[in-house]
Amino acid sequence: MASTVTSDAVKRPGYGQLLRTPGAWTFLLPGFAARQPFAMLTIGIVLLVQHTTGSYGSAGAVAAVTGVSMALFAPQSGKLADRFGQRAVLVPGVLVHAASVSVLTALALAGAPLWALFAAAVPSGASVPQVGPMVRARWAARLEGSPLMSTAAAFESVTDEFTFVVGPVLATALCTGVHPAAGLVAEASLTLVGGLLFAARKRTQPAHGAHSGAGARPRVSALSVPGVRVLAVAFLGIGSVFGGMQVSLTAFTEEIGNPGANGLLYGLFAAGNMLAGVAVGAIAWKSGPRRRLIAGYAALTVAASLLWSAQSVPLLAALGLVVGLCIAPALISGYTLVESLVPATARTEAFTWLTGAVALGQAAAVTVAGRLADAYGSAAGFLVPLGGTALALATLLALRSRLAARAPESRAAARGIGHRVPVAVD
């Protein structure tokens, strides 16, 4: 099966071949439904808590607690999924999440004190199902050694971006048009139904520690792989772009007296990311993912260095589009590297570390950019994406040797296979 997929992919690389991968649609459709609520949670909390408390500060603080909790607990969820299987983690996880969000919603509607909302926000964030990393792990298991891994990473990047376009719009429409709690009710319901449907697709879930040949060997944590730690730092920088852009674009449009332009500007930024993601997945790359990651990150840093100088909506729109175009190549190349760096029994955990790094970088950037924008204006806030990407790029360049693929023998052994598998190192 794997050799057939690889051979066909070489002849016809692209999304058409990717989506013809046996069993792909059985986890893609429920996976899309299950990950949609992830983008609804933060905005749903902000709109509900602001409605019940009258404070954006309190609403943002509760949402931040949820985000940090998710980022800290997500890797543990991935580690458990690698060890016991995705279904064993996902089913209780979505049940806990639905219950936690329901409690948070009830407390907010009852006018509970802020500390009670914080307490409910912790399990709500910690139990967010890591469906995106689980889908990526399924692709990695189906496409082991295939050139289509880069296409799959691009497809998932576009899917994530589309989720973050649709989810907030849906949550906002429900909260403003139906009831302030409707966004969170829908989030909990979709998580429960979509998560259970995704968990039911047992045939496509990757082999886990308890049923793989790796069970007798010492268990490897994804974070013990040096390359994963380097990628996590790189993804912190990407998160700084998302967080810095959100705050600084809002501050800029308020400064010029045109807050309605914020949606247009951020939409162009997101559109650039989506378009680049589609293009990256459609190209048959001759260079390896490590080289593409460094080149993409260098381009992202240069693009981010120009944001602070924008003084008009058209110029900022153009720069935002360029920054968005530069994100996807770096993001996709990083996810693609996981397949060659991490044993199959630790990939879900690896993907959750990277997803969590983006979330942490975004949370830190929102805080720092907000303070800078309040004190010195939006131009200072735009320095956050520059600082984050520059530091991450320096880390990548200094530690790029740690992103070299594992030895072919090691990769074969991780799958319990005796023959050698060719690896693209660069």
Side-chain angles (χ1 to χ4, degrees), residues 18-34 86 90 131 134-135 138-139 142 155 194-205:
L18 176 72
L19 296 177
R20 286 193 292 272
T21 300
W25 285 104
T26 64
F27 64 83
L28 282 180
L29 292 179
F32 179 78
Q86 294 183 0
L90 197 55
V131 177
M134 289 182 180
V135 172
R138 295 192 184 210
W139 278 125
R142 306 293 288 181
F155 183 84
L196 292 177
L197 288 175
F198 181 78
R201 313 312 303 178
K202 295 186 292 184
R203 293 185 61 184
T204 56
Q205 77 170 356

PDB file of all heavy atoms in Angstrom, residues 18-34 86 90 131 134-135 138-139 142 155 194-205:
ATOM      1  N   LEU A  18      -3.797  13.206  -3.232  1.00  0.00           N
ATOM      2  CA  LEU A  18      -3.892  13.134  -1.769  1.00  0.00           C
ATOM      3  C   LEU A  18      -5.279  12.679  -1.332  1.00  0.00           C
ATOM      4  O   LEU A  18      -5.417  11.783  -0.479  1.00  0.00           O
ATOM      5  CB  LEU A  18      -3.588  14.501  -1.163  1.00  0.00           C
ATOM      6  CG  LEU A  18      -3.735  14.596   0.361  1.00  0.00           C
ATOM      7  CD1 LEU A  18      -2.605  13.845   1.046  1.00  0.00           C
ATOM      8  CD2 LEU A  18      -3.753  16.051   0.808  1.00  0.00           C
ATOM      9  N   LEU A  19      -6.305  13.267  -1.908  1.00  0.00           N
ATOM     10  CA  LEU A  19      -7.668  12.957  -1.487  1.00  0.00           C
ATOM     11  C   LEU A  19      -8.144  11.596  -1.992  1.00  0.00           C
ATOM     12  O   LEU A  19      -9.205  11.127  -1.579  1.00  0.00           O
ATOM     13  CB  LEU A  19      -8.626  14.054  -1.959  1.00  0.00           C
ATOM     14  CG  LEU A  19      -8.356  15.433  -1.345  1.00  0.00           C
ATOM     15  CD1 LEU A  19      -9.301  16.476  -1.915  1.00  0.00           C
ATOM     16  CD2 LEU A  19      -8.486  15.381   0.179  1.00  0.00           C
ATOM     17  N   ARG A  20      -7.357  10.979  -2.868  1.00  0.00           N
ATOM     18  CA  ARG A  20      -7.667   9.605  -3.285  1.00  0.00           C
ATOM     19  C   ARG A  20      -6.963   8.576  -2.410  1.00  0.00           C
ATOM     20  O   ARG A  20      -7.070   7.375  -2.652  1.00  0.00           O
ATOM     21  CB  ARG A  20      -7.281   9.398  -4.753  1.00  0.00           C
ATOM     22  CG  ARG A  20      -8.226  10.076  -5.737  1.00  0.00           C
ATOM     23  CD  ARG A  20      -7.992   9.588  -7.158  1.00  0.00           C
ATOM     24  NE  ARG A  20      -6.705  10.031  -7.683  1.00  0.00           N
ATOM     25  CZ  ARG A  20      -6.509  11.188  -8.306  1.00  0.00           C
ATOM     26  NH1 ARG A  20      -7.517  12.034  -8.470  1.00  0.00           N
ATOM     27  NH2 ARG A  20      -5.311  11.511  -8.767  1.00  0.00           N
ATOM     28  N   THR A  21      -6.249   9.048  -1.388  1.00  0.00           N
ATOM     29  CA  THR A  21      -5.621   8.128  -0.451  1.00  0.00           C
ATOM     30  C   THR A  21      -6.699   7.257   0.197  1.00  0.00           C
ATOM     31  O   THR A  21      -7.690   7.787   0.712  1.00  0.00           O
ATOM     32  CB  THR A  21      -4.868   8.891   0.654  1.00  0.00           C
ATOM     33  OG1 THR A  21      -3.863   9.700   0.041  1.00  0.00           O
ATOM     34  CG2 THR A  21      -4.218   7.929   1.637  1.00  0.00           C
ATOM     35  N   PRO A  22      -6.559   5.941   0.180  1.00  0.00           N
ATOM     36  CA  PRO A  22      -7.590   5.063   0.754  1.00  0.00           C
ATOM     37  C   PRO A  22      -7.924   5.428   2.197  1.00  0.00           C
ATOM     38  O   PRO A  22      -7.036   5.567   3.039  1.00  0.00           O
ATOM     39  CB  PRO A  22      -6.953   3.667   0.664  1.00  0.00           C
ATOM     40  CG  PRO A  22      -5.995   3.763  -0.483  1.00  0.00           C
ATOM     41  CD  PRO A  22      -5.453   5.163  -0.434  1.00  0.00           C
ATOM     42  N   GLY A  23      -9.196   5.609   2.457  1.00  0.00           N
ATOM     43  CA  GLY A  23      -9.666   5.883   3.809  1.00  0.00           C
ATOM     44  C   GLY A  23      -9.614   7.340   4.223  1.00  0.00           C
ATOM     45  O   GLY A  23     -10.048   7.686   5.336  1.00  0.00           O
ATOM     46  N   ALA A  24      -9.093   8.222   3.353  1.00  0.00           N
ATOM     47  CA  ALA A  24      -8.899   9.618   3.759  1.00  0.00           C
ATOM     48  C   ALA A  24     -10.212  10.299   4.127  1.00  0.00           C
ATOM     49  O   ALA A  24     -10.313  10.968   5.163  1.00  0.00           O
ATOM     50  CB  ALA A  24      -8.189  10.390   2.649  1.00  0.00           C
ATOM     51  N   TRP A  25     -11.220  10.143   3.291  1.00  0.00           N
ATOM     52  CA  TRP A  25     -12.476  10.871   3.536  1.00  0.00           C
ATOM     53  C   TRP A  25     -13.178  10.395   4.796  1.00  0.00           C
ATOM     54  O   TRP A  25     -13.965  11.139   5.388  1.00  0.00           O
ATOM     55  CB  TRP A  25     -13.413  10.736   2.336  1.00  0.00           C
ATOM     56  CG  TRP A  25     -12.980  11.587   1.182  1.00  0.00           C
ATOM     57  CD1 TRP A  25     -12.367  11.171   0.034  1.00  0.00           C
ATOM     58  CD2 TRP A  25     -13.096  13.009   1.078  1.00  0.00           C
ATOM     59  NE1 TRP A  25     -12.096  12.241  -0.778  1.00  0.00           N
ATOM     60  CE2 TRP A  25     -12.544  13.376  -0.171  1.00  0.00           C
ATOM     61  CE3 TRP A  25     -13.616  13.996   1.911  1.00  0.00           C
ATOM     62  CZ2 TRP A  25     -12.500  14.711  -0.599  1.00  0.00           C
ATOM     63  CZ3 TRP A  25     -13.573  15.312   1.485  1.00  0.00           C
ATOM     64  CH2 TRP A  25     -13.020  15.660   0.249  1.00  0.00           C
ATOM     65  N   THR A  26     -12.897   9.184   5.222  1.00  0.00           N
ATOM     66  CA  THR A  26     -13.581   8.680   6.424  1.00  0.00           C
ATOM     67  C   THR A  26     -13.154   9.417   7.690  1.00  0.00           C
ATOM     68  O   THR A  26     -13.894   9.434   8.676  1.00  0.00           O
ATOM     69  CB  THR A  26     -13.320   7.175   6.606  1.00  0.00           C
ATOM     70  OG1 THR A  26     -11.915   6.955   6.848  1.00  0.00           O
ATOM     71  CG2 THR A  26     -13.756   6.392   5.380  1.00  0.00           C
ATOM     72  N   PHE A  27     -11.937  10.008   7.683  1.00  0.00           N
ATOM     73  CA  PHE A  27     -11.546  10.801   8.858  1.00  0.00           C
ATOM     74  C   PHE A  27     -11.507  12.303   8.574  1.00  0.00           C
ATOM     75  O   PHE A  27     -11.538  13.107   9.503  1.00  0.00           O
ATOM     76  CB  PHE A  27     -10.196  10.332   9.428  1.00  0.00           C
ATOM     77  CG  PHE A  27      -9.000  10.497   8.525  1.00  0.00           C
ATOM     78  CD1 PHE A  27      -8.329  11.716   8.446  1.00  0.00           C
ATOM     79  CD2 PHE A  27      -8.514   9.428   7.785  1.00  0.00           C
ATOM     80  CE1 PHE A  27      -7.208  11.871   7.642  1.00  0.00           C
ATOM     81  CE2 PHE A  27      -7.385   9.576   6.977  1.00  0.00           C
ATOM     82  CZ  PHE A  27      -6.738  10.804   6.908  1.00  0.00           C
ATOM     83  N   LEU A  28     -11.469  12.698   7.289  1.00  0.00           N
ATOM     84  CA  LEU A  28     -11.419  14.127   6.982  1.00  0.00           C
ATOM     85  C   LEU A  28     -12.729  14.836   7.326  1.00  0.00           C
ATOM     86  O   LEU A  28     -12.724  15.912   7.947  1.00  0.00           O
ATOM     87  CB  LEU A  28     -11.097  14.339   5.500  1.00  0.00           C
ATOM     88  CG  LEU A  28      -9.644  14.172   5.086  1.00  0.00           C
ATOM     89  CD1 LEU A  28      -9.484  14.417   3.593  1.00  0.00           C
ATOM     90  CD2 LEU A  28      -8.748  15.116   5.872  1.00  0.00           C
ATOM     91  N   LEU A  29     -13.859  14.258   6.925  1.00  0.00           N
ATOM     92  CA  LEU A  29     -15.146  14.936   7.150  1.00  0.00           C
ATOM     93  C   LEU A  29     -15.493  15.056   8.631  1.00  0.00           C
ATOM     94  O   LEU A  29     -15.784  16.162   9.112  1.00  0.00           O
ATOM     95  CB  LEU A  29     -16.245  14.220   6.367  1.00  0.00           C
ATOM     96  CG  LEU A  29     -16.144  14.340   4.840  1.00  0.00           C
ATOM     97  CD1 LEU A  29     -17.277  13.574   4.164  1.00  0.00           C
ATOM     98  CD2 LEU A  29     -16.170  15.807   4.420  1.00  0.00           C
ATOM     99  N   PRO A  30     -15.466  13.959   9.394  1.00  0.00           N
ATOM    100  CA  PRO A  30     -15.739  14.136  10.830  1.00  0.00           C
ATOM    101  C   PRO A  30     -14.649  14.948  11.518  1.00  0.00           C
ATOM    102  O   PRO A  30     -14.918  15.672  12.487  1.00  0.00           O
ATOM    103  CB  PRO A  30     -15.792  12.703  11.374  1.00  0.00           C
ATOM    104  CG  PRO A  30     -15.064  11.876  10.380  1.00  0.00           C
ATOM    105  CD  PRO A  30     -15.298  12.533   9.055  1.00  0.00           C
ATOM    106  N   GLY A  31     -13.413  14.860  11.024  1.00  0.00           N
ATOM    107  CA  GLY A  31     -12.336  15.648  11.600  1.00  0.00           C
ATOM    108  C   GLY A  31     -12.560  17.137  11.410  1.00  0.00           C
ATOM    109  O   GLY A  31     -12.283  17.943  12.300  1.00  0.00           O
ATOM    110  N   PHE A  32     -13.102  17.529  10.258  1.00  0.00           N
ATOM    111  CA  PHE A  32     -13.384  18.946  10.017  1.00  0.00           C
ATOM    112  C   PHE A  32     -14.480  19.438  10.954  1.00  0.00           C
ATOM    113  O   PHE A  32     -14.389  20.528  11.530  1.00  0.00           O
ATOM    114  CB  PHE A  32     -13.810  19.171   8.570  1.00  0.00           C
ATOM    115  CG  PHE A  32     -14.143  20.598   8.260  1.00  0.00           C
ATOM    116  CD1 PHE A  32     -13.131  21.526   8.060  1.00  0.00           C
ATOM    117  CD2 PHE A  32     -15.460  21.024   8.173  1.00  0.00           C
ATOM    118  CE1 PHE A  32     -13.430  22.862   7.784  1.00  0.00           C
ATOM    119  CE2 PHE A  32     -15.772  22.347   7.911  1.00  0.00           C
ATOM    120  CZ  PHE A  32     -14.744  23.264   7.703  1.00  0.00           C
ATOM    121  N   ALA A  33     -15.521  18.630  11.129  1.00  0.00           N
ATOM    122  CA  ALA A  33     -16.599  19.015  12.043  1.00  0.00           C
ATOM    123  C   ALA A  33     -16.100  19.100  13.478  1.00  0.00           C
ATOM    124  O   ALA A  33     -16.478  20.007  14.225  1.00  0.00           O
ATOM    125  CB  ALA A  33     -17.750  18.008  11.944  1.00  0.00           C
ATOM    126  N   ALA A  34     -15.225  18.196  13.862  1.00  0.00           N
ATOM    127  CA  ALA A  34     -14.755  18.148  15.250  1.00  0.00           C
ATOM    128  C   ALA A  34     -13.783  19.276  15.572  1.00  0.00           C
ATOM    129  O   ALA A  34     -13.689  19.702  16.725  1.00  0.00           O
ATOM    130  CB  ALA A  34     -14.090  16.801  15.526  1.00  0.00           C
ATOM    131  N   GLN A  86      -6.012   7.100  19.723  1.00  0.00           N
ATOM    132  CA  GLN A  86      -6.767   8.344  19.666  1.00  0.00           C
ATOM    133  C   GLN A  86      -8.170   8.192  20.253  1.00  0.00           C
ATOM    134  O   GLN A  86      -8.648   9.079  20.971  1.00  0.00           O
ATOM    135  CB  GLN A  86      -6.850   8.834  18.222  1.00  0.00           C
ATOM    136  CG  GLN A  86      -5.504   9.244  17.644  1.00  0.00           C
ATOM    137  CD  GLN A  86      -5.618   9.792  16.240  1.00  0.00           C
ATOM    138  OE1 GLN A  86      -6.703   9.879  15.673  1.00  0.00           O
ATOM    139  NE2 GLN A  86      -4.479  10.175  15.659  1.00  0.00           N
ATOM    140  N   LEU A  90      -9.900  10.564  22.988  1.00  0.00           N
ATOM    141  CA  LEU A  90     -10.872  11.514  22.438  1.00  0.00           C
ATOM    142  C   LEU A  90     -12.252  11.374  23.061  1.00  0.00           C
ATOM    143  O   LEU A  90     -12.913  12.385  23.360  1.00  0.00           O
ATOM    144  CB  LEU A  90     -10.951  11.327  20.921  1.00  0.00           C
ATOM    145  CG  LEU A  90     -11.584  12.455  20.111  1.00  0.00           C
ATOM    146  CD1 LEU A  90     -10.898  13.775  20.398  1.00  0.00           C
ATOM    147  CD2 LEU A  90     -11.503  12.128  18.627  1.00  0.00           C
ATOM    148  N   VAL A 131      -7.965  17.542  17.649  1.00  0.00           N
ATOM    149  CA  VAL A 131      -8.354  16.841  16.428  1.00  0.00           C
ATOM    150  C   VAL A 131      -7.395  17.151  15.283  1.00  0.00           C
ATOM    151  O   VAL A 131      -7.041  16.262  14.496  1.00  0.00           O
ATOM    152  CB  VAL A 131      -9.801  17.194  16.046  1.00  0.00           C
ATOM    153  CG1 VAL A 131     -10.189  16.533  14.732  1.00  0.00           C
ATOM    154  CG2 VAL A 131     -10.761  16.761  17.150  1.00  0.00           C
ATOM    155  N   MET A 134      -4.389  15.067  15.549  1.00  0.00           N
ATOM    156  CA  MET A 134      -4.773  13.671  15.316  1.00  0.00           C
ATOM    157  C   MET A 134      -4.977  13.400  13.836  1.00  0.00           C
ATOM    158  O   MET A 134      -4.610  12.325  13.334  1.00  0.00           O
ATOM    159  CB  MET A 134      -6.036  13.340  16.108  1.00  0.00           C
ATOM    160  CG  MET A 134      -5.820  13.259  17.604  1.00  0.00           C
ATOM    161  SD  MET A 134      -7.324  12.808  18.505  1.00  0.00           S
ATOM    162  CE  MET A 134      -6.715  12.810  20.206  1.00  0.00           C
ATOM    163  N   VAL A 135      -5.559  14.353  13.113  1.00  0.00           N
ATOM    164  CA  VAL A 135      -5.711  14.185  11.662  1.00  0.00           C
ATOM    165  C   VAL A 135      -4.337  14.142  10.998  1.00  0.00           C
ATOM    166  O   VAL A 135      -4.077  13.311  10.119  1.00  0.00           O
ATOM    167  CB  VAL A 135      -6.565  15.323  11.075  1.00  0.00           C
ATOM    168  CG1 VAL A 135      -6.555  15.267   9.545  1.00  0.00           C
ATOM    169  CG2 VAL A 135      -8.000  15.235  11.579  1.00  0.00           C
ATOM    170  N   ARG A 138      -2.808  10.837  11.422  1.00  0.00           N
ATOM    171  CA  ARG A 138      -3.396   9.830  10.523  1.00  0.00           C
ATOM    172  C   ARG A 138      -2.820   9.951   9.119  1.00  0.00           C
ATOM    173  O   ARG A 138      -2.562   8.938   8.452  1.00  0.00           O
ATOM    174  CB  ARG A 138      -4.922   9.962  10.519  1.00  0.00           C
ATOM    175  CG  ARG A 138      -5.543   9.642  11.865  1.00  0.00           C
ATOM    176  CD  ARG A 138      -7.052   9.478  11.804  1.00  0.00           C
ATOM    177  NE  ARG A 138      -7.605   9.270  13.159  1.00  0.00           N
ATOM    178  CZ  ARG A 138      -8.699   8.559  13.428  1.00  0.00           C
ATOM    179  NH1 ARG A 138      -9.376   7.992  12.455  1.00  0.00           N
ATOM    180  NH2 ARG A 138      -9.114   8.419  14.675  1.00  0.00           N
ATOM    181  N   TRP A 139      -2.656  11.195   8.658  1.00  0.00           N
ATOM    182  CA  TRP A 139      -2.006  11.366   7.354  1.00  0.00           C
ATOM    183  C   TRP A 139      -0.596  10.773   7.379  1.00  0.00           C
ATOM    184  O   TRP A 139      -0.189  10.086   6.439  1.00  0.00           O
ATOM    185  CB  TRP A 139      -1.910  12.849   7.014  1.00  0.00           C
ATOM    186  CG  TRP A 139      -3.128  13.484   6.436  1.00  0.00           C
ATOM    187  CD1 TRP A 139      -3.785  14.587   6.901  1.00  0.00           C
ATOM    188  CD2 TRP A 139      -3.837  13.096   5.247  1.00  0.00           C
ATOM    189  NE1 TRP A 139      -4.861  14.896   6.098  1.00  0.00           N
ATOM    190  CE2 TRP A 139      -4.907  14.001   5.068  1.00  0.00           C
ATOM    191  CE3 TRP A 139      -3.670  12.072   4.323  1.00  0.00           C
ATOM    192  CZ2 TRP A 139      -5.803  13.907   4.009  1.00  0.00           C
ATOM    193  CZ3 TRP A 139      -4.564  11.972   3.256  1.00  0.00           C
ATOM    194  CH2 TRP A 139      -5.617  12.886   3.107  1.00  0.00           C
ATOM    195  N   ARG A 142      -0.694   7.098   7.058  1.00  0.00           N
ATOM    196  CA  ARG A 142      -1.116   6.607   5.741  1.00  0.00           C
ATOM    197  C   ARG A 142      -0.080   6.880   4.657  1.00  0.00           C
ATOM    198  O   ARG A 142      -0.031   6.168   3.650  1.00  0.00           O
ATOM    199  CB  ARG A 142      -2.436   7.290   5.328  1.00  0.00           C
ATOM    200  CG  ARG A 142      -3.569   7.180   6.325  1.00  0.00           C
ATOM    201  CD  ARG A 142      -4.071   5.769   6.491  1.00  0.00           C
ATOM    202  NE  ARG A 142      -4.815   5.291   5.333  1.00  0.00           N
ATOM    203  CZ  ARG A 142      -5.376   4.095   5.256  1.00  0.00           C
ATOM    204  NH1 ARG A 142      -5.251   3.246   6.275  1.00  0.00           N
ATOM    205  NH2 ARG A 142      -6.030   3.719   4.186  1.00  0.00           N
ATOM    206  N   PHE A 155      -2.550  20.883   3.038  1.00  0.00           N
ATOM    207  CA  PHE A 155      -4.006  20.721   3.104  1.00  0.00           C
ATOM    208  C   PHE A 155      -4.514  21.000   4.513  1.00  0.00           C
ATOM    209  O   PHE A 155      -5.533  21.681   4.704  1.00  0.00           O
ATOM    210  CB  PHE A 155      -4.367  19.292   2.684  1.00  0.00           C
ATOM    211  CG  PHE A 155      -5.848  19.024   2.650  1.00  0.00           C
ATOM    212  CD1 PHE A 155      -6.601  19.353   1.544  1.00  0.00           C
ATOM    213  CD2 PHE A 155      -6.486  18.441   3.746  1.00  0.00           C
ATOM    214  CE1 PHE A 155      -7.976  19.109   1.513  1.00  0.00           C
ATOM    215  CE2 PHE A 155      -7.842  18.193   3.730  1.00  0.00           C
ATOM    216  CZ  PHE A 155      -8.592  18.531   2.615  1.00  0.00           C
ATOM    217  N   GLY A 194     -19.041  15.909  16.707  1.00  0.00           N
ATOM    218  CA  GLY A 194     -17.939  15.720  15.768  1.00  0.00           C
ATOM    219  C   GLY A 194     -16.834  14.856  16.341  1.00  0.00           C
ATOM    220  O   GLY A 194     -16.274  14.001  15.649  1.00  0.00           O
ATOM    221  N   GLY A 195     -16.513  15.056  17.628  1.00  0.00           N
ATOM    222  CA  GLY A 195     -15.463  14.265  18.255  1.00  0.00           C
ATOM    223  C   GLY A 195     -15.806  12.789  18.327  1.00  0.00           C
ATOM    224  O   GLY A 195     -14.957  11.925  18.069  1.00  0.00           O
ATOM    225  N   LEU A 196     -17.046  12.490  18.673  1.00  0.00           N
ATOM    226  CA  LEU A 196     -17.450  11.081  18.749  1.00  0.00           C
ATOM    227  C   LEU A 196     -17.468  10.429  17.370  1.00  0.00           C
ATOM    228  O   LEU A 196     -17.083   9.257  17.224  1.00  0.00           O
ATOM    229  CB  LEU A 196     -18.829  10.976  19.410  1.00  0.00           C
ATOM    230  CG  LEU A 196     -18.879  11.348  20.906  1.00  0.00           C
ATOM    231  CD1 LEU A 196     -20.311  11.273  21.419  1.00  0.00           C
ATOM    232  CD2 LEU A 196     -17.970  10.442  21.724  1.00  0.00           C
ATOM    233  N   LEU A 197     -17.889  11.174  16.346  1.00  0.00           N
ATOM    234  CA  LEU A 197     -17.878  10.625  14.983  1.00  0.00           C
ATOM    235  C   LEU A 197     -16.443  10.371  14.521  1.00  0.00           C
ATOM    236  O   LEU A 197     -16.157   9.346  13.893  1.00  0.00           O
ATOM    237  CB  LEU A 197     -18.577  11.592  14.024  1.00  0.00           C
ATOM    238  CG  LEU A 197     -20.109  11.684  14.144  1.00  0.00           C
ATOM    239  CD1 LEU A 197     -20.643  12.777  13.219  1.00  0.00           C
ATOM    240  CD2 LEU A 197     -20.750  10.334  13.792  1.00  0.00           C
ATOM    241  N   PHE A 198     -15.544  11.295  14.839  1.00  0.00           N
ATOM    242  CA  PHE A 198     -14.142  11.114  14.456  1.00  0.00           C
ATOM    243  C   PHE A 198     -13.536   9.928  15.195  1.00  0.00           C
ATOM    244  O   PHE A 198     -12.803   9.121  14.608  1.00  0.00           O
ATOM    245  CB  PHE A 198     -13.364  12.395  14.765  1.00  0.00           C
ATOM    246  CG  PHE A 198     -11.912  12.336  14.380  1.00  0.00           C
ATOM    247  CD1 PHE A 198     -11.518  12.488  13.061  1.00  0.00           C
ATOM    248  CD2 PHE A 198     -10.932  12.130  15.341  1.00  0.00           C
ATOM    249  CE1 PHE A 198     -10.180  12.436  12.709  1.00  0.00           C
ATOM    250  CE2 PHE A 198      -9.591  12.073  15.004  1.00  0.00           C
ATOM    251  CZ  PHE A 198      -9.212  12.229  13.674  1.00  0.00           C
ATOM    252  N   ALA A 199     -13.833   9.809  16.473  1.00  0.00           N
ATOM    253  CA  ALA A 199     -13.291   8.700  17.263  1.00  0.00           C
ATOM    254  C   ALA A 199     -13.789   7.355  16.753  1.00  0.00           C
ATOM    255  O   ALA A 199     -13.105   6.332  16.907  1.00  0.00           O
ATOM    256  CB  ALA A 199     -13.673   8.873  18.733  1.00  0.00           C
ATOM    257  N   ALA A 200     -14.973   7.346  16.144  1.00  0.00           N
ATOM    258  CA  ALA A 200     -15.546   6.088  15.659  1.00  0.00           C
ATOM    259  C   ALA A 200     -14.786   5.530  14.457  1.00  0.00           C
ATOM    260  O   ALA A 200     -14.913   4.343  14.138  1.00  0.00           O
ATOM    261  CB  ALA A 200     -17.011   6.291  15.296  1.00  0.00           C
ATOM    262  N   ARG A 201     -13.991   6.368  13.789  1.00  0.00           N
ATOM    263  CA  ARG A 201     -13.245   5.895  12.615  1.00  0.00           C
ATOM    264  C   ARG A 201     -11.959   5.214  13.089  1.00  0.00           C
ATOM    265  O   ARG A 201     -10.850   5.750  13.004  1.00  0.00           O
ATOM    266  CB  ARG A 201     -12.926   7.057  11.667  1.00  0.00           C
ATOM    267  CG  ARG A 201     -14.095   7.966  11.360  1.00  0.00           C
ATOM    268  CD  ARG A 201     -15.349   7.224  10.967  1.00  0.00           C
ATOM    269  NE  ARG A 201     -15.145   6.349   9.823  1.00  0.00           N
ATOM    270  CZ  ARG A 201     -16.075   5.557   9.314  1.00  0.00           C
ATOM    271  NH1 ARG A 201     -17.265   5.505   9.875  1.00  0.00           N
ATOM    272  NH2 ARG A 201     -15.815   4.796   8.271  1.00  0.00           N
ATOM    273  N   LYS A 202     -12.096   4.018  13.621  1.00  0.00           N
ATOM    274  CA  LYS A 202     -10.975   3.313  14.240  1.00  0.00           C
ATOM    275  C   LYS A 202      -9.985   2.755  13.223  1.00  0.00           C
ATOM    276  O   LYS A 202      -8.798   2.617  13.516  1.00  0.00           O
ATOM    277  CB  LYS A 202     -11.509   2.176  15.118  1.00  0.00           C
ATOM    278  CG  LYS A 202     -12.314   2.648  16.312  1.00  0.00           C
ATOM    279  CD  LYS A 202     -12.687   1.492  17.219  1.00  0.00           C
ATOM    280  CE  LYS A 202     -13.690   0.559  16.534  1.00  0.00           C
ATOM    281  NZ  LYS A 202     -14.125  -0.518  17.443  1.00  0.00           N
ATOM    282  N   ARG A 203     -10.437   2.458  12.026  1.00  0.00           N
ATOM    283  CA  ARG A 203      -9.570   1.785  11.057  1.00  0.00           C
ATOM    284  C   ARG A 203      -8.429   2.672  10.565  1.00  0.00           C
ATOM    285  O   ARG A 203      -7.383   2.161  10.159  1.00  0.00           O
ATOM    286  CB  ARG A 203     -10.391   1.317   9.864  1.00  0.00           C
ATOM    287  CG  ARG A 203     -11.385   0.209  10.185  1.00  0.00           C
ATOM    288  CD  ARG A 203     -12.089  -0.290   8.942  1.00  0.00           C
ATOM    289  NE  ARG A 203     -11.155  -0.849   7.977  1.00  0.00           N
ATOM    290  CZ  ARG A 203     -11.502  -1.286   6.763  1.00  0.00           C
ATOM    291  NH1 ARG A 203     -12.775  -1.215   6.381  1.00  0.00           N
ATOM    292  NH2 ARG A 203     -10.593  -1.770   5.951  1.00  0.00           N
ATOM    293  N   THR A 204      -8.620   3.988  10.603  1.00  0.00           N
ATOM    294  CA  THR A 204      -7.582   4.877  10.083  1.00  0.00           C
ATOM    295  C   THR A 204      -6.697   5.481  11.172  1.00  0.00           C
ATOM    296  O   THR A 204      -5.767   6.218  10.861  1.00  0.00           O
ATOM    297  CB  THR A 204      -8.219   6.036   9.284  1.00  0.00           C
ATOM    298  OG1 THR A 204      -9.158   6.730  10.124  1.00  0.00           O
ATOM    299  CG2 THR A 204      -8.925   5.510   8.052  1.00  0.00           C
ATOM    300  N   GLN A 205      -6.975   5.183  12.444  1.00  0.00           N
ATOM    301  CA  GLN A 205      -6.134   5.766  13.486  1.00  0.00           C
ATOM    302  C   GLN A 205      -4.774   5.077  13.494  1.00  0.00           C
ATOM    303  O   GLN A 205      -4.670   3.875  13.208  1.00  0.00           O
ATOM    304  CB  GLN A 205      -6.809   5.692  14.848  1.00  0.00           C
ATOM    305  CG  GLN A 205      -6.787   4.349  15.533  1.00  0.00           C
ATOM    306  CD  GLN A 205      -7.268   4.454  16.979  1.00  0.00           C
ATOM    307  OE1 GLN A 205      -7.548   5.515  17.482  1.00  0.00           O
ATOM    308  NE2 GLN A 205      -7.369   3.309  17.629  1.00  0.00           N
TER     309      GLN A 205
END
